[in-house]
Amino acid sequence: MGAVSEQKGRSRRKRMTGRQRREQLLDIGRELFAQRGFDGTSIEEIAARAGVSKPVVYEHFGGKDGIYAVVVDREMRTLLSMVVESLTGDHARAKLEGAAMALLAYVDECSDGFRILARDSHAASGTGSFASLISDIATQVEHVLVEEFNERGYDPKLAPMYAQSLVGMVALTGQWWLEVRKPKREVVAAHLVNLSWNGLSSLEAKPQLETLSNRAG
């Protein structure tokens, strides 16, 4: 009688659709990759946590590489989208503030995703590395700097280099802040913008290293 009741209970249990199972496996994989990295995560554990056999995981993704690729791609899209949507201010400083806040918001609200990306995405992802993501974000910020450089009489061809520097500064600070979480992200963003903006406002048109110029003299 007990066995019959158990069988009926199982039959009444709602089975996941293919899409639901896929999302479950991605959620579990994302959590494990954030905790242990790509090499420290196994298909066996992903399957065990999902309550399925390994062949089910292979059926959906072809293996661990497949899950990782989708997780990384989603995180990169999310972060890039947040930054792009933040660049809506009326002037350059407002846009820089928006970009800094967007990056820190992602660190704060999508901590697992940031941990995965900041490890420098595994080659298996097929979507590039954290460095390539930073480059994509810098391309968006670059447009802001080109406008500012043109207004101030600086060479706009240098805007890509400055954009990489600014975005890299925020990203590295985000890695530090991920662990300490102090001060508040608004305060961190304000200090980052303070450093970058006040530096930009006093840029020399043709900077030179003082040590090199002294030697030449």
Side-chain angles (χ1 to χ4, degrees):
M1 189 73 175
V4 173
S5 298
E6 184 178 351
Q7 187 173 5
K8 286 183 178 180
R10 286 178 179 174
S11 64
R12 287 195 299 266
R13 194 175 300 162
K14 186 178 179 181
R15 291 191 62 181
M16 284 188 178
T17 64
R19 172 175 286 187
Q20 289 172 332
R21 179 66 71 191
R22 178 182 173 84
E23 292 302 317
Q24 180 202 32
L25 292 171
L26 286 171
D27 288 341
I28 292 171
R30 181 177 184 269
E31 181 181 352
L32 290 174
F33 291 137
Q35 293 173 354
R36 304 175 186 179
F38 178 84
D39 293 330
T41 300
S42 68
I43 283 290
E44 288 81 3
E45 186 166 11
I46 293 174
R49 287 202 183 188
V52 299
S53 62
K54 288 195 297 182
V56 173
V57 182
Y58 289 118
E59 178 184 346
H60 282 277
F61 298 100
K64 185 171 69 170
D65 291 0
I67 298 180
Y68 191 79
V70 176
V71 169
V72 169
D73 183 65
R74 284 188 174 187
E75 295 304 324
M76 293 180 80
R77 289 174 182 271
T78 297
L79 177 51
L80 185 58
S81 175
M82 290 174 68
V83 171
V84 171
E85 289 175 6
S86 73
L87 298 173
T88 57
D90 295 330
H91 52 85
R93 175 160 182 158
K95 291 179 180 178
L96 289 176
E97 288 179 356
M101 279 297 295
L103 272 164
L104 292 173
Y106 176 80
V107 173
D108 194 19
E109 298 166 9
C110 306
S111 299
D112 280 353
F114 186 73
R115 284 190 173 93
I116 292 170
L117 295 180
R119 281 194 176 100
D120 203 3
S121 306
H122 194 277
S125 70
T127 55
S129 65
F130 189 49
S132 68
L133 174 61
I134 293 302
S135 182
D136 289 343
I137 295 173
T139 299
Q140 303 298 326
V141 176
E142 178 186 325
H143 299 303
V144 178
L145 296 184
V146 167
E147 295 176 8
E148 190 69 17
F149 278 30
N150 282 327
E151 288 181 10
R152 294 175 179 270
Y154 304 135
D155 185 356
K157 293 179 181 178
L158 295 174
M161 180 180 69
Y162 279 92
Q164 293 281 346
S165 300
L166 288 172
V167 174
M169 176 180 69
V170 178
L172 285 174
T173 303
Q175 286 183 272
W176 164 80
W177 185 70
L178 175 64
E179 305 304 329
V180 298
R181 296 303 178 97
K182 292 181 180 181
K184 293 181 178 180
R185 73 187 185 202
E186 292 81 4
V187 176
V188 177
H191 281 280
L192 286 169
V193 173
N194 179 44
L195 174 59
S196 60
W197 183 257
N198 288 321
L200 287 171
S201 64
S202 302
L203 282 180
E204 298 174 349
K206 294 183 179 180
Q208 291 185 339
L209 298 177
E210 290 186 6
T211 53
L212 294 182
S213 60
N214 288 339
R215 289 177 188 173

